[in-house]
Amino acid sequence: SQQGEEDPQALSIQEGENATMNCSYKTSINNLQWYRQNSGRGLVHLILIRSNEREKHSGRLRVTLDTSKKSSSLLITASRAADTASYFCATDIGSQGNLIFGKGTKLSVKP
Amino acid sequence: DGGITQSPKYLFRKEGQNVTLSCEQNLNHDAMYWYRQDPGQGLRLIYYSQIVNDFQKGDIAEGYSVSREKKESFPLTVTSAQKNPTAFYLCASSIQTSGDTQYFGPGTRLTVL
């Protein structure tokens, strides 16, 4: 079973709207990271939140972490067509230091 | 420019052939990784290396082999033992394997004919 699972699997919104994606995980983590992948390209790191942090911001991105619920959310405010991509959460559970990636949320922002 | 490169971008292989995917980084990172991504799926770890001359199997290592003779290079060989090799292959690196941010290459799409 997946350590991290994103929800929803796909999300379609209009430009200017906010987009919220969620990630749930099963075991305790050291940190949780969000990555973005444009179609057919490599992943790009967006933000890292540590287990002792509750919220982080980076530009139009806001990430929250609730360790009691084992969940995280990524909010993209005032979305743009260029935000169209797949978004993955990755958890560091400390075992050999490797990240475990979810299956991603496919975001489509219509102009 | 600092970064991580993969070549080729597209690769076609006949059944029964071994092929090698290249991954190079000039970020001075100790750790390097190979992932496989199938359509609509997340990333699955094939192999990773924490330091030169050392590497460990990931979740789906069967049918793959790697080497780490230089810090900058981590080539992946897809052998004929890999039954379903058609996929998108991503290489990444990080400062260490301690849950650090990973930096990804642009990927290689392998198709078996």
Side-chain angles (χ1 to χ4, degrees), chain A residues 30-31 33 91-100, chain B residues 31 33 35 45 48 50 94 96-102:
Chain A
N30 293 329
N31 70 60
Q33 303 178 31
T91 52
D92 167 28
I93 63 172
S95 173
Q96 302 170 334
N98 293 322
L99 297 179
I100 302 175
Chain B
Y33 313 80
Y35 293 94
L45 182 66
Y48 67 100
Q50 296 173 300
S94 64
Q96 296 176 351
T97 57
S98 56
D100 283 345
T101 296
Q102 293 187 11

Side-chain angles (χ1 to χ4, degrees), chain A residues 2 30-31 33 35 37 40-45 48 88 92 96-104, chain B residues 33 35 37 40-43 45 48 50 88 90 97-107 109:
Chain A
Q2 290 285 113
N30 293 329
N31 70 60
Q33 303 178 31
Y35 289 80
Q37 183 182 33
R41 310 289 286 274
L43 276 70
V44 175
H45 179 258
L48 181 155
F88 295 88
D92 167 28
Q96 302 170 334
N98 293 322
L99 297 179
I100 302 175
F101 287 83
K103 293 185 178 182
Chain B
Y33 313 80
Y35 293 94
Q37 185 178 32
Q41 300 295 310
L43 279 63
L45 182 66
Y48 67 100
Q50 296 173 300
F88 189 52
L90 288 160
T97 57
S98 56
D100 283 345
T101 296
Q102 293 187 11
Y103 296 83
F104 284 80
R109 187 166 299 280

Side-chain angles (χ1 to χ4, degrees), chain B residues 62-93:
Chain B
E62 186 175 349
Y64 300 97
S65 66
V66 293
S67 62
R68 187 86 187 275
E69 297 176 2
K70 298 187 299 181
K71 189 174 186 177
E72 300 80 19
S73 179
F74 191 41
L76 172 74
T77 296
V78 184
T79 75
S80 57
Q82 170 50 236
K83 298 306 177 189
N84 185 21
T86 294
F88 189 52
Y89 290 87
L90 288 160
C91 179
S93 70

Side-chain angles (χ1 to χ4, degrees), chain A residues 17-80:
Chain A
E17 294 179 339
N18 295 344
T20 300
M21 289 158 269
N22 303 296
C23 172
S24 59
Y25 56 92
K26 293 179 168 46
T27 62
S28 296
I29 60 171
N30 293 329
N31 70 60
L32 185 145
Q33 303 178 31
W34 285 92
Y35 289 80
R36 165 194 168 125
Q37 183 182 33
N38 286 70
S39 181
R41 310 289 286 274
L43 276 70
V44 175
H45 179 258
L46 296 176
I47 200 162
L48 181 155
I49 186 164
R50 302 193 185 282
S51 60
N52 60 354
E53 297 175 310
R54 292 298 167 257
E55 187 171 313
K56 283 190 86 168
H57 297 255
S58 176
R60 292 183 297 113
L61 305 181
R62 173 178 168 250
V63 168
T64 61
L65 179 65
D66 187 334
T67 52
S68 66
K69 294 181 179 178
K70 291 187 169 58
S71 67
S72 173
S73 67
L74 170 67
L75 168 68
I76 304 174
T77 59
S79 63
R80 305 166 182 167

